[in-house]
Structures are given as C-alpha cells and as structure tokens.
Amino acid sequence: MSKNPIGIFDSGMGGVSVLAEATRFLPYENFIYIGDTAFAPYGVKPTSLILNRSLLISEKLIGEGCKAILIACNTASSVAAKYLRSKYSLPIIAMEPALKPAYFLSSGKTVLVLATNITLKLEKFKLLMKKYGANAEPIPCPDLVMYVENLNFDKTQVKTYLNNIFNNYNLDSIGAVVLGCTHFIFVKNLIREILPENIEILDGNVGTVKELHRRLSKKNILNTEKVAPYISLISTSNATAEKIKLEKMFKAAFDNEDYFVLENM
Ligand code: DGL
C-alpha cells in the first residue's frame, strides 16, 4: 500500500472532470492536479511543445512523490504517453476517445467523434479508426475547448456552436457521439439537451479511472488507509484569473469542496 499521491494533468480545466471521477472511484487516494493553464489549449499547438510540457509536468509530479500519473487529456495522451512510459517506470495511464464502445453500441449507425485537431491527426487515433472507425466521423472542435477553458457556459452560444455541427447530419443516422476531449464533459448536459435520447453520448473518464484502479491494485500501491484525502490543485499560470478559474471548475465538479490547496508551479 502507498499513501503517495496520484498525479493528474491536463492543458487546463478539462482534466478536472477526470479528477472528479477518480476521487469518486478512489475515495481514499491523495491527488495532485496540474492544469497547464499557461499553455492551454494544447489541441492547436505544435506536438513538440505538448511533449515538452508533458515531460516537465511529469517531472514535477514525480518530484512531488506521485506513485502514478494519469494524463487527463486525450491530446497529451496522443502526443506523450508512449514517450513518458519509455522514460519512467511508474504507472502512466492515458486517455483515448471511446470509439471502441461507440462502435459496438451504435449498430452500424454513424459515430461522431468530437476531439481536438491534434488528437484526430495523430497515430493513436488513426489506429483506433482502423479498428473501430468504419462508421466514424472525426470532428475537430477547437472552439468548444475554449468555451470550457474560459468557463463560458452561455447556453445560447454553446448550443449554437453545437447545433452548427449537428445540423450537418441527419440525426436519425447517428448512433453515438464520442466526447474525445476531457473539456467536453463539462458541456455534456447541453449536448444531451440537443440530441435525441436514443443517441449515446460516450466519454472515456470512467474507463480510464477503472484502469488507474487496476494498475494501482496490480502493483499493490492502492491507499487502503481510510482517512480524508488531500487534493492539491496547481495552475502553471501565475495569473490570478487562471487560478480562480481552476478553483471554480473544481468547485463545480465536486460535491465536496472541503479539501484543496491551490499552489503555483
Ligand atoms: N482536455 C484536452 C483533451 O482531452 C485538451 C484540450 C486542449 O487543450 O486543446 O484533449
């Protein structure tokens, strides 16, 4: 057993949705969350920058004693997971768009995959498409990332953006929509309001957190001591506005806001 924290990172706000899921599933674990707010969004940036940032953040998390790292970002997972795994021996858990379950659930109907430009462009997704993408339509949604990153949840604006996407399709032909970016979880309810109930909306959060649990359990490093955990939130931007945003996102995602410390990196 190990009381050491689990490190989680994302370009900014999106990974907070994964952190929230992780605390529900692993209620006794300690967490350090780094939102790379100084460099968000990742999805339209050069892969060399995303790789360097992922490396720097991982070094910081390992320096803080993390026993595992969860990359709560599909984009950084596509760019950096392989490299980080080759460099470090601790468990590194990555995300990928939930195309596989969508393929099996959509019974031949179209699967829309909403993600960042980088996620959809790289090899990891191409391989996924080869296996499960026969009916899939990848859709890059950089503006949707920015709505969430800026905490702009104005229903009319976000729904107009989403409707502009979905209006290109006959909804009867859609079987599932995959949220292939952790930021999009925060607008899942708006997507649900637009789409008919029979269209599945899938994300990778629960699957990824289950994988985290499996990996910790296999290594015998789950924290079995039933005490209140701590969660540290770290924003890489020193700007007060960014820190306040991260804090707000955290409060929005959690029922319990008793335990957190906001630090700098
Ligand atoms: N949340 C991220 C993802 O899952 C990155 C979004 C971005 O920074 O562009 O892909």
Side-chain angles (χ1 to χ4, degrees):
M1 101 111 178
S2 162
K3 291 183 203 169
N4 286 23
I6 296 163
I8 300 190
F9 75 92
D10 178 43
S11 61
M13 308 295 150
V16 173
S17 67
V18 188
L19 173 65
E21 198 60 60
T23 60
R24 280 191 282 271
F25 208 76
L26 298 157
Y28 306 117
E29 296 294 338
N30 299 307
F31 292 94
I32 300 178
Y33 179 88
I34 299 183
D36 198 7
T37 48
F39 289 84
Y42 279 175
V44 288
K45 301 264 162 67
T47 51
S48 55
L49 180 135
I50 302 167
L51 183 62
N52 283 338
R53 295 302 301 166
S54 303
L55 198 55
L56 201 104
I57 290 169
S58 300
E59 291 284 343
K60 165 80 177 164
L61 292 170
I62 292 166
E64 294 290 327
C66 287
K67 60 184 174 187
I69 292 177
L70 195 170
I71 311 174
C73 173
N74 290 267
T75 311
S77 295
S78 307
V79 174
K82 220 178 185 174
Y83 180 69
L84 295 178
R85 284 182 184 135
S86 73
K87 192 169 163 65
Y88 304 115
S89 59
L90 80 173
I92 294 186
I93 292 88
M95 305 210 63
E96 69 176 26
L99 189 52
K100 183 178 172 183
Y103 173 80
F104 290 110
L105 278 171
S106 55
S107 34
K109 285 185 162 186
T110 304
V111 173
L112 304 181
V113 186
L114 314 186
T116 68
N117 305 50
I118 295 283
T119 297
L120 298 176
K121 206 172 82 176
L122 293 184
E123 201 199 346
K124 193 170 153 75
F125 184 70
K126 296 247 162 80
L127 290 174
L128 207 56
M129 280 292 279
K130 264 195 191 149
K131 281 190 185 166
Y132 306 108
N135 303 312
E137 289 255 5
I139 306 174
C141 301
D143 294 352
L144 196 52
V145 173
M146 290 322 291
Y147 282 122
V148 176
E149 194 56 30
N150 295 326
L151 308 193
N152 175 0
F153 297 112
D154 180 282
K155 260 197 175 190
T156 316
Q157 278 183 46
V158 178
K159 276 189 165 179
T160 304
Y161 177 82
L162 290 165
N163 273 321
N164 281 338
I165 293 173
F166 296 133
N167 285 345
N168 294 319
Y169 301 90
N170 167 6
L171 291 185
D172 290 338
S173 68
I174 308 295
V177 171
V178 172
L179 307 184
C181 169
T182 53
H183 280 66
F184 302 166
I185 313 301
F186 289 103
V187 291
K188 195 173 184 174
N189 55 340
L190 297 182
I191 300 176
R192 186 71 284 165
E193 283 177 25
I194 294 174
L195 298 176
E197 280 298 319
N198 63 313
I199 300 181
E200 301 277 349
I201 305 173
L202 302 167
D203 66 73
N205 283 14
V206 171
T208 306
V209 167
K210 281 188 178 163
E211 176 64 10
L212 170 66
H213 182 273
R214 250 194 309 273
R215 299 283 296 279
L216 296 180
S217 170
K218 202 170 159 198
K219 279 197 107 184
N220 232 351
I221 52 173
L222 278 165
N223 188 4
T224 48
E225 201 181 64
K226 295 184 172 44
V227 292
Y230 70 83
I231 298 175
S232 292
L233 290 183
I234 299 176
S235 157
T236 58
S237 163
N238 277 328
T240 313
E242 290 301 325
K243 285 192 215 145
I244 291 173
K245 259 172 31 186
L246 191 54
E247 208 171 332
K248 268 197 187 160
M249 204 53 155
F250 183 85
K251 285 179 181 166
F254 284 81
D255 313 328
N256 178 354
E257 57 183 67
D258 282 346
Y259 47 87
F260 71 91
V261 197
L262 203 54
E263 293 172 2
N264 285 326
M265 179 173 154

